[in-house]
């Protein structure tokens, strides 16, 4: 298993791809088309997929008269009720009930759906081509294919190319045997086991079941009378002509990394369809293969290379850092630096507080026991304070009418 993992990691790094036949890998190889080196842009693929997926929608709307088939008219103002239209007549529970409004029972919906809504979206041709090239490049990266959920543990190589004899297959049993030999049967079994009943009303609308996507068979020749007839009834397997590559199949849901099985002629036609970095496409007018912004995406390796490190400024060793100012009212060590007597004052205050606490406890204990007597010193202080207060009062009322 470890050897297989190592083998998967170096699949797309080689300029040649092994050719497979009905018995497995052969000694023949085919060159890797340049489109597989295109930049992988999930943002472009997601945007284009979202827009393209809207182009299969059919218009829907509610009946133009829905919710408005009452004989109703507003009562106007002055009757202490809202001005909503009300059902006319009498003798029934509906008489006087609000009508027409979206807040009323049996009323129309808010902003009723119309068939003249803008259902479809135009997508630029250049964007569609860029997204398709990105999706093809992502299909050659084993990590992205596995991350998308495809079971390719037993597949020898990605991209997987088979010889053109497959395009002449007409029997499904032969096609299943081929997938077994290529190691793709595990992905097909995953799709078959994933078939579930759809949640919601789609069950009534000819989309009763949901199922995962499996391998995408891309061919050049054969068509409906041959290869499509052989593979079309296998769960999860889809087919596509290389001349009609579709982003909705190459990146279902806008997720890169579809597992693709190519025939040799389809694989060889990619350089003609998409061109290379040296020449433009022969089929797509004015299309040049997009180039990646960085030839080497390993940024760490670039920064640490001798060429870059030889011209950059060296690291500044002595770094001057500003000290955080400490609040002496909260930090006692900072207070001691400012006031050397702070420790003595703190000890004196703590000692005084302890003595006061002890005296208070003794006083409370004596009062509760009924043995408390006011100290003579306290009596003398109160007497002196009272005498001073009396003298102040006499001085204040002297010469007034206060008796």
């Amino acid at each position: 298993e470890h050897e297989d993992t190592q083998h998967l990691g170096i699949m797309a790094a080689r300029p040649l791809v092994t050719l497979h036949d009905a018995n497995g890998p052969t000694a023949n190889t085919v060159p890797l088309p340049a489109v597989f080196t295109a930049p992988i842009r999930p943002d472009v693929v997601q945007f284009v997929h979202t827009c393209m997926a809207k182009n299969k929608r059919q218009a829907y709307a509610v009946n133009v008269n829905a919710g408005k088939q009452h004989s109703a008219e507003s009562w106007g103002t002055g009757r202490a009720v809202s001005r909503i239209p009300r059902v006319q007549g009498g003798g029934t529970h509906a008489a006087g009930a609000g009508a027409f409004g979206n807040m009323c029972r049996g009323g129309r919906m808010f902003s009723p759906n119309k068939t003249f809504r803008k259902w479809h979206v135009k997508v630029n041709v250049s964007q569609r081509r860029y997204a398709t090239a990105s999706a093809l490049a992502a299909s050659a990266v084993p990590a992205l294919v596995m991350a998308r959920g495809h079971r390719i543990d037993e597949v020898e190589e990605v991209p997987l190319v088979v010889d053109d004899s497959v395009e002449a297959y007409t029997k499904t049993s032969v096609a299943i045997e081929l997938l077994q030999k290529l190691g793709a049967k595990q992905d097909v079994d995953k799709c078959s086991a994933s078939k579930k009943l759809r949640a919601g009303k789609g069950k009534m609308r000819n989309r009763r079941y949901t199922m995962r996507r499996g391998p995408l068979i891309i061919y050049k020749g054969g068509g409906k009378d041959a290869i499509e007839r052989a593979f079309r009834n296998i769960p999860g397997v889809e087919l596509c002509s290389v001349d009609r590559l579709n982003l909705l199949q190459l990146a279902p849901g806008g997720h890169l990394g579809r597992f693709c099985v190519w025939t040799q002629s389809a694989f060889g036609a990619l350089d003609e369809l998409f061109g290379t970095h040296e020449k433009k496409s022969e089929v797509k007018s004015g299309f040049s293969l997009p180039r990646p912004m960085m030839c080497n995406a390993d940024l760490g390796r670039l920064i640490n290379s001798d060429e870059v490190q030889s011209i950059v400024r060296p690291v500044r060793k002595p770094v001057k850092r500003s000290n955080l100012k400490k609040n002496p009212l909260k930090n006692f060590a900072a207070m001691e630096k400012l006031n050397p007597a702070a420790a003595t004052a703190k000890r004196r205050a703590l000692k005084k507080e302890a003595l006061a606490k002890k005296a208070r406890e003794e006083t409370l204990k004596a009062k509760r026991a009924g043995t408390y007597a006011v100290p003579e010193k306290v009596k003398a202080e109160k007497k002196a304070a009272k005498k001073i207060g009396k003298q102040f009062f006499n001085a204040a009322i002297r010469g007034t009418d206060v008796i």
Side-chain angles (χ1 to χ4, degrees):
E1 185 180 350
H2 178 65
E3 292 178 1
D4 290 343
T5 307
Q6 284 186 329
H7 187 59
L8 285 169
I10 61 172
M11 284 179 185
R14 299 180 301 170
L16 297 176
V17 179
T18 305
L19 187 65
H20 294 70
D21 61 11
N23 297 318
T26 66
N28 300 324
T29 58
V30 290
L32 187 74
V35 70
F36 288 103
T37 63
I40 298 173
R41 292 286 302 274
D43 53 338
V44 176
V45 171
Q46 184 75 53
F47 171 77
V48 174
H49 182 280
T50 300
C51 294
M52 287 180 63
K54 293 178 180 177
N55 292 332
K56 287 183 68 176
R57 296 194 293 176
Q58 291 182 333
Y60 61 87
V62 295
N63 190 316
V64 68
N65 295 319
K68 303 189 74 172
Q69 299 185 71
H70 294 289
S71 174
E73 192 175 350
S74 173
W75 289 355
T77 58
R79 300 184 61 174
V81 292
S82 64
R83 288 174 288 183
I84 195 75
R86 295 177 181 277
V87 178
Q88 296 178 337
T92 172
H93 69 278
F100 297 169
N102 63 303
M103 76 293 293
C104 298
R105 175 178 177 270
R108 54 154 175 79
M109 66 179 285
F110 166 75
S111 184
N113 296 319
K114 302 293 183 182
T115 54
F116 51 77
R117 177 191 291 187
K118 186 175 179 289
W119 299 98
H120 303 103
V121 181
K122 179 185 177 297
V123 191
N124 292 343
V125 172
S126 56
Q127 286 181 310
R128 293 204 304 267
R129 289 172 175 172
Y130 197 131
T132 304
S134 283
L136 287 173
S139 70
V141 181
L144 294 178
V145 177
M146 297 179 79
R148 207 191 161 278
H150 291 290
R151 307 288 194 265
I152 58 170
D153 298 335
E154 298 176 2
V155 177
E156 289 287 334
E157 191 172 11
V158 173
L160 184 61
V161 184
V162 296
D163 61 12
D164 286 339
S165 63
V166 175
E167 293 183 351
Y169 284 6
T170 57
K171 303 295 288 183
T172 303
S173 58
V174 180
I176 292 175
E177 187 178 350
L178 174 70
L179 293 174
Q180 184 77 51
K181 291 286 180 62
L182 296 176
K185 187 66 166 55
Q186 189 178 359
D187 199 39
V188 174
D189 293 339
K190 174 208 70 173
C191 297
S192 182
S194 70
K195 188 173 182 180
K196 299 285 191 300
L197 201 66
R198 181 184 296 273
K201 290 194 176 181
K203 287 192 291 289
M204 312 172 194
R205 296 172 181 168
N206 293 328
R207 43 181 189 268
R208 192 166 184 78
Y209 297 98
T210 61
M211 189 167 58
R212 304 288 83 78
R213 300 286 185 100
L216 176 64
I217 313 295
I218 303 175
Y219 59 89
K220 177 71 174 174
K224 292 184 178 179
D225 295 329
I227 187 170
E228 284 196 16
R229 183 185 292 271
F231 285 91
R232 67 188 179 186
N233 204 33
I234 304 174
V237 176
E238 293 181 336
L239 294 104
C240 179
S241 172
V242 71
D243 299 316
R244 294 184 294 277
L245 288 172
N246 185 357
L247 183 70
L248 300 177
Q249 287 184 313
L250 290 171
H255 305 135
L256 293 166
R258 181 74 186 263
F259 174 36
C260 298
V261 180
W262 301 80
T263 63
Q264 185 178 357
S265 56
F267 200 67
L270 288 174
D271 277 342
E272 179 186 347
L273 287 168
F274 290 92
T276 65
H277 293 299
E278 287 74 32
K279 66 173 184 177
K280 290 188 176 182
S281 168
E282 299 176 16
V283 179
K284 303 179 189 298
S285 177
F287 176 71
S288 296
L289 199 62
R291 292 178 178 272
M293 297 295 289
M294 297 176 64
C295 294
N296 181 8
D298 192 349
L299 190 61
R301 183 179 177 187
L302 289 174
I303 294 174
N304 295 319
S305 64
D306 295 336
E307 292 81 2
V308 174
Q309 290 297 319
S310 62
I311 59 173
V312 297
R313 174 183 58 76
V315 179
R316 291 173 181 161
K317 295 292 183 183
V319 180
K320 185 178 180 181
R321 300 187 185 279
S322 59
N323 293 326
L324 183 67
K325 184 180 178 185
K326 296 175 181 177
N327 185 357
L329 298 176
K330 295 182 179 180
N331 191 306
F332 189 71
M335 175 63 85
E336 277 191 309
K337 289 182 181 179
L338 296 175
N339 181 13
T344 305
K346 187 174 183 179
R347 283 196 297 271
R348 188 183 300 123
L350 290 172
K351 189 176 180 181
K352 184 178 179 182
E353 183 182 353
L355 291 173
K357 185 178 180 181
K358 184 179 179 182
R360 183 171 179 275
E361 289 176 352
E362 290 177 352
T363 302
L364 285 172
K365 189 177 179 180
K367 282 182 177 180
R368 287 166 182 157
T371 58
Y372 177 74
V374 180
E376 294 297 327
K377 183 180 178 182
V378 175
K379 284 182 180 181
E381 289 176 353
K382 284 185 176 181
K383 194 173 182 180
K386 192 172 183 179
K387 183 179 179 182
I388 293 171
K390 200 169 185 179
Q391 290 174 354
F392 174 79
F393 180 74
N394 291 332
I397 67 173
R398 190 177 297 131
T400 65
D401 296 337
V402 179
I403 298 174

